[in-house]
Amino acid sequence: MHAEPQIPEPIAVIGLSCRTAGADDTDALWQLLRDERRLIAPVPPQRLPSVDAGHVDTEPLRAALLDDPAGFDAAFFGVSRRMAAWMDPHQRVLLELTWHALENAGIAPEQLHGAPVAVFAAAPMADYRERMVQADVVDSAAFPGTLITFTPNRISYQFDWTGPSYAVDSACSSGLSVLAPAVQGLRAGEFTLAAVMAANITCNGFYTSSAYQAGALSPTGDSIPFSTRRDGYVRGEGGACLLLKRLADARRDGDPVHAVIRGVGVAHNGRAGGLTGSDALAQTRLFLRTARAAGVPLASVGYVEAHGTGTGGDLAEATAVTDALRTALGTSGDQVAGPEGKVWIGSVKSNIGHLECAAGLLGIVKAVLVLRHGLIPPIAGLTEADPDPDLSFGELPVALADRPVTWPRDAAVRRIGVNSFGVGGALAHAIIEDAPEAAPRTPASTPSGPWAVPLSALNRAALAVLATRLSRTLRGPLPPALTSLAWTVQTGRSALRERCVLVAADLTELAEALDALAVEQAHARVATGDHRGALGRLPTPLAHTAGDWLDGRSVDWAKHWPHPQPRCPDLPGYPFQRRTHWFDAHGPQPRTRTDVPDAH
């Protein structure tokens, strides 16, 4: 008698954050995806010094870059200006992204001090160090500032996490490959929470020069994946951070669950595809193996977020999708589960460029947003598909996302495959699916209002920006419930130096109080250290707790809640007050209003 195959434990994405060209968070990223904006623009002078394309006839260099790669809120993280100046920008970006991912999960960082949280980071390129070598300068702070090991280790140190902490380098598949040890370790019980992250910042011309001369980069700077304008990839900047937990643990703890990871597979081409190419058959095998190991039919995947770089790899990838689907349908007889009965293929790289080591994680973020909003955005700029026979799907129900495709949630679980491959032949593939419906909370467990909404920041300027963003969220299309908002900011945020407590019985009152706070005006519903009249609107025990919090004491907000409320995952993140930190006087300057690229 054969035992039933064991279905691996699902892994929940409980927190996520991202930053790309044109987007500082997931909401902004979704907006540019939905609007089909392309954030590819000319590279400013001094951003990539000494680019030498060799024999390649190129247009002016173009890429999808962050507005302020030298900006960092060093004071917020307690980092000295000297240390910040010699710290690789990848470390700076990941510190901020990790903080925002924790906020998104409703976890105050101090709650995890000393905890065995694992950190897995994609190993970035060494542009910052190479720029120092080119400038012939060095400082002792560059030792922890530029060694690749500090990409994850700096995060573990900053947040006082004691789980495994290491970088993974599989080139452009690194951002997806780092999911594998996180998922495996969670399932094995080696740790209960994992932070998976990747960032890509370009600030030196060496790699760009070699990639041009090797034929990897687009000479026009306007390549579009799977199209007739496919002539090489366009570089992009940004990063992402995911917080992962076993699904059963997340549901027990009341964490938000954005999506569920069912499986992650990694492999290599071997000698097939050459040293720097990609092989369709190897990818086909990986797709089938990943679905089989995850315990889901491959035909249940309705969308594939492809690596889709705009290079020759596009054709191998499209062939792999069709061959894997043909094999799956031939052996199972299943119907394809995607919208309109098709498997759709898309790529975020036409919007924000190729984030290289961070590309795979941005693919995961996009996939989560597709599930959240029930829409597959088109490949931006795709007006004419590449006529190559490998992109002719024939009778198979496969299509390029050349238009917006609605994909609402219904009885069937929606699944997405996210694919990635590296220039050295390393492959990675992940399957994610809808989060399970959250169990409703018992109404009797909710205390009566008004509610205390504590907000804090490092200084008044940041507090005002935070109030502005939160007010905008309350007036948005999907405002949070006031009870879950209050619970989240009470129990899931760090208490910083500049504090206030807003007292409100409904969202309208809270929005009015936030508007006053945003312009630093006194308001009857805003309590500060010097003006506490608003606390009189609260029940006496809660008023005492709020007063102690304003005085800088540690308090137990949870004691005022008979039962924990659901956490609120989509509140605005902390507004970092960035200043320029660079090792010399020639660092990139923030874009001004006049030089921000227009969408095209």
Side-chain angles (χ1 to χ4, degrees), residues 505-544:
D506 55 43
L507 291 180
T508 299
E509 290 184 355
L510 180 57
E512 292 173 353
L514 287 167
D515 291 343
L517 180 61
V519 294
E520 300 188 37
Q521 288 183 352
H523 192 278
R525 297 188 180 279
V526 179
T528 63
D530 298 328
H531 301 89
R532 305 192 178 205
L535 300 185
R537 301 171 182 266
L538 297 171
T540 301
L542 182 56
H544 286 319

Side-chain angles (χ1 to χ4, degrees), residues 222-422:
D222 196 33
S223 180
I224 296 174
F226 303 107
S227 81
T228 54
R229 290 155 64 185
R230 176 181 60 82
D231 64 353
Y233 81 83
V234 179
R235 301 191 74 185
E237 286 186 328
C241 178
L242 305 181
L243 295 181
L244 308 181
K245 209 174 194 180
R246 288 188 295 267
L247 177 60
D249 293 347
R251 301 189 76 176
R252 177 199 65 205
D253 298 340
D255 298 311
V257 179
H258 298 279
V260 171
I261 298 174
R262 288 301 303 267
V264 182
V266 291
H268 192 274
N269 291 323
R271 287 192 171 183
L275 181 61
T276 60
S278 189
D279 178 57
L281 180 57
Q283 291 186 65
T284 300
R285 290 169 176 162
L286 180 61
F287 296 169
L288 294 167
R289 179 166 60 82
T290 303
R292 185 168 57 251
V296 300
L298 185 69
S300 68
V301 173
Y303 171 64
V304 174
E305 174 60 24
H307 196 57
T309 55
T311 66
D314 290 5
L315 304 182
E317 192 170 17
T319 298
V321 171
T322 54
D323 287 352
L325 184 62
R326 184 179 292 109
T327 299
L329 294 177
T331 57
S332 68
D334 291 334
Q335 298 296 312
V336 174
E340 303 177 18
K342 299 177 183 178
V343 176
W344 296 84
I345 299 175
S347 174
V348 72
K349 293 176 181 63
S350 62
N351 301 95
I352 58 173
H354 182 7
L355 271 65
E356 295 161 341
C357 74
L361 274 192
L362 262 297
I364 294 287
V365 171
K366 179 183 172 183
V368 171
L369 296 176
V370 167
L371 294 175
R372 177 185 298 175
H373 295 281
L375 178 72
I376 299 172
I379 299 172
L382 179 62
T383 56
E384 187 175 357
D386 191 314
D388 190 286
D390 287 336
L391 271 175
S392 177
F393 303 119
E395 78 290 352
L396 283 173
V398 181
L400 295 176
D402 56 359
R403 57 182 171 85
V405 181
T406 57
W407 194 13
R409 182 166 185 166
D410 53 25
V413 176
R414 297 171 300 171
R415 296 194 174 103
I416 294 176
V418 181
N419 195 48
S420 195
F421 49 84

Side-chain angles (χ1 to χ4, degrees), residues 417-564:
V418 181
N419 195 48
S420 195
F421 49 84
V423 68
L427 312 174
H429 191 77
I431 296 175
I432 74 167
E433 68 182 28
D434 284 314
E437 295 285 357
R441 298 286 186 178
T442 305
S445 69
T446 302
S448 59
W451 286 270
V453 179
L455 298 180
S456 69
L458 199 63
N459 51 52
R460 289 187 179 182
L463 188 61
V465 175
L466 181 61
T468 299
R469 294 180 179 178
L470 186 53
S471 175
R472 190 182 304 129
T473 298
L474 299 188
R475 292 180 167 93
L478 295 172
L482 181 52
T483 51
S484 60
L485 185 154
W487 166 255
T488 300
V489 297
Q490 286 179 11
T491 64
R493 293 292 185 271
S494 290
L496 304 173
R497 187 170 59 224
E498 192 71 31
R499 305 183 184 190
C500 68
V501 176
L502 286 66
V503 179
D506 55 43
L507 291 180
T508 299
E509 290 184 355
L510 180 57
E512 292 173 353
L514 287 167
D515 291 343
L517 180 61
V519 294
E520 300 188 37
Q521 288 183 352
H523 192 278
R525 297 188 180 279
V526 179
T528 63
D530 298 328
H531 301 89
R532 305 192 178 205
L535 300 185
R537 301 171 182 266
L538 297 171
T540 301
L542 182 56
H544 286 319
T545 296
D548 287 343
W549 185 83
L550 285 173
D551 288 334
R553 298 187 182 94
S554 296
V555 300
D556 181 12
W557 294 100
K559 68 183 180 182
H560 300 287
W561 298 82
H563 195 285

